[in-house]
Amino acid sequence: SPAQPSMAMHAQKMGCAWGRLCLLLSLLLQLPGSQAKCYFQAKAPCEYEGKQFSLGESWLSTNCLLCTCLHPIGVGCCETTQHPIDFPDWCEAHYDSQTCQISV
């Protein structure tokens, strides 16, 4: 029947989309710096500051989160700032919100 080939093609496209989604999620969780925190917002729209994003597209938010569109299931965001974890007590960490960097 003619419906079967289109069903197979639809299933193949869905499998490919889920494969790309899994790859994106694994990349999000492997950003440089083991101290980076990642967040997932289910059903969040792929929109930031009035701009629409497509599956796989990313943007940097004003609070230094790198967000990736995972349409239709939501948005994944990870911190881009690497936090120092081992420095002397007499040192201070300074955060620059313009560059998303922390200096000690």
Side-chain angles (χ1 to χ4, degrees):
S1 94
Q4 287 180 352
S6 65
M7 289 280 289
M9 284 181 62
H10 180 69
Q12 184 179 8
K13 285 181 182 177
M14 286 300 293
C16 185
W18 281 112
R20 281 186 284 187
L21 180 62
C22 290
L23 176 63
L24 282 171
L25 285 172
S26 68
L27 290 175
L28 274 174
L29 297 175
Q30 294 176 15
L31 279 178
S34 58
Q35 300 301 311
K37 293 179 183 165
C38 294
Y39 311 92
F40 177 72
Q41 303 165 20
K43 303 293 183 188
C46 292
E47 180 183 342
Y48 183 71
E49 295 186 341
K51 184 177 179 196
Q52 290 288 112
F53 294 88
S54 301
L55 176 64
E57 288 187 308
S58 298
W59 64 93
L60 187 64
S61 70
T62 53
N63 57 347
C64 298
L65 290 175
L66 180 64
C67 297
T68 302
C69 177
L70 303 172
H71 178 76
I73 63 167
V75 174
C77 297
C78 290
E79 291 180 347
T80 58
T81 308
Q82 293 191 13
H83 300 273
I85 56 171
D86 188 21
F87 56 91
D89 291 337
W90 47 267
C91 288
E92 289 183 9
H94 296 279
Y95 175 69
D96 183 349
S97 62
Q98 298 297 314
T99 63
C100 299
Q101 297 288 319
I102 295 178
S103 58
V104 179

